[in-house]
Amino acid sequence: MKLSIFHTPEQTPTTTAADCAIAVDVLRATSTMVTALSAGAEAVQVFSDLDELLQASEHWLPDKRIRAGERGGATVDGFDFGNSPLECTPDRVGGRRLFISTTNGTRALQQVQAAPTVIAAALINRRAVVEYVLDLKPETVWIVGSGWEGSFSLEDTVCAGAIAEGLLQALGCSLEELAANDEVIGAISLYRQWQDRLLDLFYHASHGKRLLRLKCYEDLKYCSQTDILSVVPVQREPGVLVTERQPAIVC
Ligand code: 3SL
């Protein structure tokens, strides 16, 4: 297995694709998607454009859909949800489709949607994603961070490092054998340094600070947890992710 990490959708190659692409937006889009599916959402459908989201969701009965829209960290006017994973409780999302558009996370998913397997990952489902990839045995894996408007983000890179570390340990190979680019080594180093202080790392992150200004402390705390959910969101058709459940995780 050869693993590459790209910090942003903009840095991700467009002329080739990996066998398996993993999109990461720890704060907060992929954490929200994992939580929604774990809470019983029927599927998650992603859009970069808000108008397209409104049009597509119009074909669904109001009690079968949730419209989630985030820009600049805030809820878009007229939408049911913003982008907080804590809104995704079973009573609110169970049996419904989550139609979601966020500033960066949904763009990362769209950037890799041509890959044969597309997964959404966050720290909260890290181990389940590692196990899914190990079962799949792809030759090439890309982890694509969402970053923030084209820039590197600490939280996505540390999550990429956490996934890479999980693969490295399970495969029992050397870093040289696994890593297809330098970003893999950088991400693993970041994870090894901060793995026991992920919430502290989020306080240093520019988007962590932005969310704290928006009073989203509970979201930061929730998203900094590792391996608490066993759901793996996998793309079933372009832009539509459904649940792939790994065996229950014993914490
Ligand atoms: O950029 C994104 O896609 C969002 O996850 C940003 S926020 O955490 O909702 O502000």
Side-chain angles (χ1 to χ4, degrees), residues 162-190:
I163 296 167
E165 177 78 338
L167 292 172
L168 192 64
Q169 298 301 331
L171 292 168
C173 61
S174 68
L175 202 46
E176 284 67 33
E177 284 169 312
L178 181 69
N181 66 2
D182 290 359
E183 285 85 338
V184 175
I185 296 163
I188 289 178
S189 304
L190 184 72

Side-chain angles (χ1 to χ4, degrees), residues 24-33 69-75 82-85 100-108 146-149 155-156 207 210-211 214 216 219-220 223:
V24 174
D25 185 12
V26 172
L27 296 175
R28 295 166 291 175
T30 52
S31 297
T32 296
M33 293 172 198
E70 168 277 326
R71 288 295 179 269
T75 303
N83 185 25
S84 170
I100 185 167
S101 177
T102 69
T103 312
N104 305 286
T106 49
R107 280 192 313 123
S146 302
W148 186 268
E149 296 182 339
E155 65 277 11
D156 293 341
H207 189 47
R210 185 178 296 110
L211 288 174
L214 293 166
C216 297
D219 281 358
L220 246 66
C223 295

Side-chain angles (χ1 to χ4, degrees), residues 109-132:
L109 273 161
Q110 289 191 324
Q111 182 75 24
V112 295
Q113 71 182 16
T117 301
V118 177
I119 295 172
L123 287 165
I124 54 174
N125 71 336
R126 185 281 302 248
R127 190 188 305 169
V129 167
V130 168
E131 288 171 4
Y132 188 87

Side-chain angles (χ1 to χ4, degrees), residues 2-190:
K2 278 289 179 189
L3 173 68
S4 301
I5 293 175
F6 302 101
H7 293 310
T8 63
E10 288 76 6
Q11 288 174 3
T12 307
T14 49
T15 49
T16 52
D19 298 332
C20 173
I22 305 173
V24 174
D25 185 12
V26 172
L27 296 175
R28 295 166 291 175
T30 52
S31 297
T32 296
M33 293 172 198
V34 172
T35 305
L37 290 174
S38 184
E42 172 262 329
V44 171
Q45 190 162 353
V46 301
F47 296 84
S48 47
D49 185 81
L50 291 167
D51 289 331
E52 280 177 25
L53 183 160
L54 289 173
Q55 268 179 22
S57 58
E58 215 32 65
H59 301 298
W60 289 68
L61 291 172
D63 65 346
K64 290 288 175 198
R65 70 177 184 223
I66 299 276
R67 289 163 163 168
E70 168 277 326
R71 288 295 179 269
T75 303
V76 177
D77 280 349
F79 280 63
D80 304 312
F81 285 7
N83 185 25
S84 170
L86 301 180
E87 291 177 307
C88 298
T89 53
D91 56 316
R92 300 184 77 185
V93 303
R96 298 175 168 200
R97 179 169 293 206
L98 185 74
F99 293 86
I100 185 167
S101 177
T102 69
T103 312
N104 305 286
T106 49
R107 280 192 313 123
L109 273 161
Q110 289 191 324
Q111 182 75 24
V112 295
Q113 71 182 16
T117 301
V118 177
I119 295 172
L123 287 165
I124 54 174
N125 71 336
R126 185 281 302 248
R127 190 188 305 169
V129 167
V130 168
E131 288 171 4
Y132 188 87
V133 173
L134 290 169
D135 281 353
L136 193 67
K137 299 186 181 55
E139 274 183 30
T140 52
V141 179
W142 289 357
I143 305 178
V144 176
S146 302
W148 186 268
E149 296 182 339
S151 305
F152 168 96
S153 77
L154 283 170
E155 65 277 11
D156 293 341
T157 306
V158 84
C159 181
I163 296 167
E165 177 78 338
L167 292 172
L168 192 64
Q169 298 301 331
L171 292 168
C173 61
S174 68
L175 202 46
E176 284 67 33
E177 284 169 312
L178 181 69
N181 66 2
D182 290 359
E183 285 85 338
V184 175
I185 296 163
I188 289 178
S189 304
L190 184 72

